[in-house]
Amino acid sequence: MDLSFTPEEEAFREEVRAFFRDKLPARLSTLVREGKRLRKSDMEEWHAILNERGWLANHWPEQWGGPGWSVIQRFIFDNESALAHAPRVVPFGVNMLGPVLIKYGSEEQKKQWLPRILDGSDWWCQGYSEPGAGSDLAGLKTTAVRKGDVYVVNGQKTWTTLGQHADMIFCLVRTDPTAKKQEGISFLLIDMKSPGIEVRPITLIDGEQEVNEVFFTDVEVPVANLVGEENMGWTYAKYLLTYERTNIAGVGFSIASFERLKEVAQMQKKGGRALADDPLFAARMARVEIDLANMQTTNLRVLAAVAGGGAPGAESSMLKIKGTEIRQEITSLTRRAYGSYAAPYIPEALEAGWNGEDVGPEDAAMAAPSYFNNRKLSIFGGSNEIQKNIISKAILGL
Ligand SMILES: Cc1cc2nc3c(=O)[nH]c(=O)nc-3n(C[C@H](O)[C@H](O)[C@H](O)COP(=O)(O)OP(=O)(O)OC[C@H]3O[C@@H](n4cnc5c(N)ncnc54)[C@H](O)[C@@H]3O)c2cc1C
């Protein structure tokens, strides 16, 4: 197994770097580097730039607007994107729904929805989780009852990320309450402007409104918005989750934030010397660096297997666990490195152009919110405990 990049792949890396140099607006990379709040318009602006180059949906087939990249090219692109402090692509349309429609949607659905994901006409959100149906997702209770040409949907979704911006939501709904729980689920595309939908914000521990509750009362959804077959939604849901988990690992993000941590640890002093030279702190940093190097190799190993015709299975769970543990440890160490400067958590400091009193190094005000916000990583996309169950089952053959 050869894990080094070929000359062609190195040339591709240069092409990607040049693109970020020329096309990534400095305003956006500064917001990302400083951990500031990105608005809907910022994310849309970056999507449009990527789409113009044909690089937005970089894992879609060329027929539907993808660039035809190999898995290794995608890995290079994602890493370079993080190192350039580019905004992350909002995953719900491009990374989650897109692959499901391409594999399971009808031709009409592909023609209707895929171009609208690319050109930003529709902002999608994910309606999987419900109160009482997170880890036990197949226990979901939102119902869809067919009446003529429509399904009538009743129930509630929760933790709906960025649902406050969404035009559309893809939902798992129960269409057969009498079937075994995994077998009575369908995958529906629902217009967020439909009468009977109410979105209520949930405020997170960092004070941000990133997630929502979405309530459905007698919402009518055209039958044409059913993806694939009725009661087969669980198959499509699982397919989507493998994509979601591999994306959450975020190796490039960890590399970029670890570089920043090293700078901060050099800058901050403890007992008259750089924090980076403090044996206890240095040991924790070394642990992260080793884990990150291992993680990169594992990621490449999985990609090499995929390039050779294999499919990621439990490996996506492994990447999700390790990747998120590393990201959380980096934000924890960064907060510690800033010490008391990270203590006054000022929500306004997340706004672009915030010009508050200078109480410490440039991005110290972001260390606490970033630490708090990143606790979510081990919960969403299927909690890390659930990923360990998946790995155990794969090993024990259960
Ligand atoms: C910030 C954030 C954004 C999210 N965005 C979305 C979104 O956009 N769309 C969406 O549909 N969902 C979203 N989610 C929901 C997410 O997928 C769920 O929170 C997650 O699946 C866990 O479910 P739960 O919250 O119901 O916790 P529970 O399932 O109640 O779990 C509680 C605890 O028990 C543990 N546990 C449960 N069952 C087992 C078991 N069998 N073995 C071992 N441990 C177990 C879990 O690991 C966890 O620690 C988001 C969540 C967060 C925090």
Side-chain angles (χ1 to χ4, degrees):
M1 182 175 46
D2 183 5
L3 293 180
S4 54
F5 293 120
T6 62
E8 291 77 23
E9 285 160 355
E10 287 299 346
F12 173 74
R13 185 199 298 281
E14 283 314 311
E15 186 188 348
V16 169
R17 281 189 181 155
F19 169 76
F20 285 119
R21 250 191 333 267
D22 296 345
K23 298 292 181 188
L24 173 60
R27 187 182 63 79
L28 291 184
S29 61
T30 305
L31 286 178
V32 174
R33 187 170 47 77
E34 294 180 354
K36 297 266 165 104
R37 186 178 289 137
L38 288 175
R39 306 203 164 277
K40 182 182 184 187
S41 55
D42 298 323
M43 300 182 237
E44 287 175 331
E45 181 183 347
W46 182 232
H47 275 215
I49 293 169
L50 286 174
N51 190 39
E52 198 185 343
R53 181 66 182 256
W55 287 1
L56 176 60
N58 63 45
H59 52 294
W60 291 11
E62 283 168 275
Q63 179 193 1
W64 296 110
W69 287 349
S70 67
V71 281
I72 304 294
Q73 284 176 303
R74 296 197 313 248
F75 176 82
I76 291 172
F77 178 83
D78 287 347
N79 276 6
E80 292 303 324
S81 171
L83 291 171
H85 304 290
R88 299 194 81 184
V89 167
V90 182
F92 305 106
V94 175
N95 296 335
M96 296 189 191
L97 180 64
V100 169
L101 286 179
I102 289 166
K103 191 165 168 74
Y104 298 108
S106 65
E107 282 306 300
E108 293 71 38
Q109 287 172 335
K110 289 178 207 178
K111 282 189 192 135
Q112 178 175 0
W113 300 113
L114 295 176
R116 294 175 64 86
I117 292 176
L118 291 180
D119 70 14
S121 303
D122 294 324
W123 180 294
W124 286 88
C125 63
Q126 179 187 26
Y128 271 28
S129 307
E130 298 180 2
S135 301
D136 180 23
L137 184 58
L140 61 92
K141 293 194 169 59
T142 296
T143 55
V145 177
R146 185 159 176 178
K147 288 198 177 143
D149 291 343
V150 295
Y151 285 102
V152 180
V153 178
N154 280 285
Q156 184 198 340
K157 296 291 170 183
T158 192
W159 303 118
T160 319
T161 301
L162 301 179
Q164 71 271 33
H165 300 317
D167 306 295
M168 296 291 297
I169 181 168
F170 54 87
C171 276
L172 295 179
V173 291
R174 188 158 297 287
T175 33
D176 184 353
T178 61
K180 211 176 111 194
K181 59 183 186 178
Q182 281 87 350
E183 290 167 11
I185 293 172
S186 298
F187 196 106
L188 268 191
L189 311 177
I190 305 180
D191 187 334
M192 289 290 278
K193 291 181 290 300
S194 312
I197 293 191
E198 189 194 345
V199 180
R200 292 187 203 156
I202 302 173
T203 305
L204 290 181
I205 193 171
D206 63 353
E208 288 293 288
Q209 192 211 325
E210 185 178 309
V211 292
N212 304 270
E213 297 176 290
V214 183
F215 295 86
F216 301 83
T217 310
D218 293 329
V219 175
E220 295 194 353
V221 182
V223 168
N225 285 15
L226 173 76
V227 174
E229 290 175 44
E230 196 176 87
N231 298 326
M232 287 298 289
W234 189 245
T235 305
Y236 320 145
K238 284 194 298 184
Y239 177 73
L240 180 149
L241 282 171
T242 336
Y243 271 91
E244 183 176 1
R245 282 170 195 151
T246 315
N247 275 315
I248 295 172
V251 175
F253 174 87
S254 290
I255 295 171
S257 48
F258 188 68
E259 286 308 309
R260 179 64 190 146
L261 169 63
K262 284 201 281 195
E263 286 169 22
V264 176
Q266 276 301 336
M267 205 164 59
Q268 297 294 98
K269 301 282 179 255
K270 185 179 171 195
R273 62 182 168 189
L275 185 60
D277 296 327
D278 172 74
L280 289 177
F281 201 84
R284 277 183 74 175
M285 286 198 13
R287 179 80 258 159
V288 172
E289 197 157 19
I290 293 165
D291 280 353
L292 192 49
N294 286 338
M295 166 85 184
Q296 251 186 306
T297 312
T298 308
N299 206 341
L300 283 169
R301 194 158 52 80
V302 172
L303 292 177
V306 173
E315 289 90 349
S316 69
S317 300
M318 203 161 75
L319 291 174
K320 198 249 162 179
I321 297 171
K322 206 64 210 171
T324 55
E325 285 176 354
I326 292 171
R327 286 172 68 178
Q328 290 184 333
E329 175 69 349
I330 293 173
T331 56
S332 174
L333 284 173
T334 306
R335 186 183 54 83
R336 277 172 178 271
Y338 278 124
S340 53
Y341 292 129
Y345 168 35
I346 310 162
E348 300 78 42
L350 291 175
E351 287 296 338
W354 180 71
N355 203 9
E357 193 185 342
D358 191 6
V359 288
E362 185 192 16
D363 48 4
M366 253 53 73
S370 169
Y371 167 81
F372 287 132
N373 190 281
N374 279 285
R375 299 304 97 193
K376 71 188 176 191
L377 298 175
S378 44
I379 302 172
F380 67 22
S383 74
N384 284 14
E385 289 78 20
I386 293 298
Q387 303 315 306
K388 287 177 188 168
N389 288 349
I390 293 173
I391 294 170
S392 322
K393 281 184 190 161
I395 293 170
L396 299 172
L398 295 173

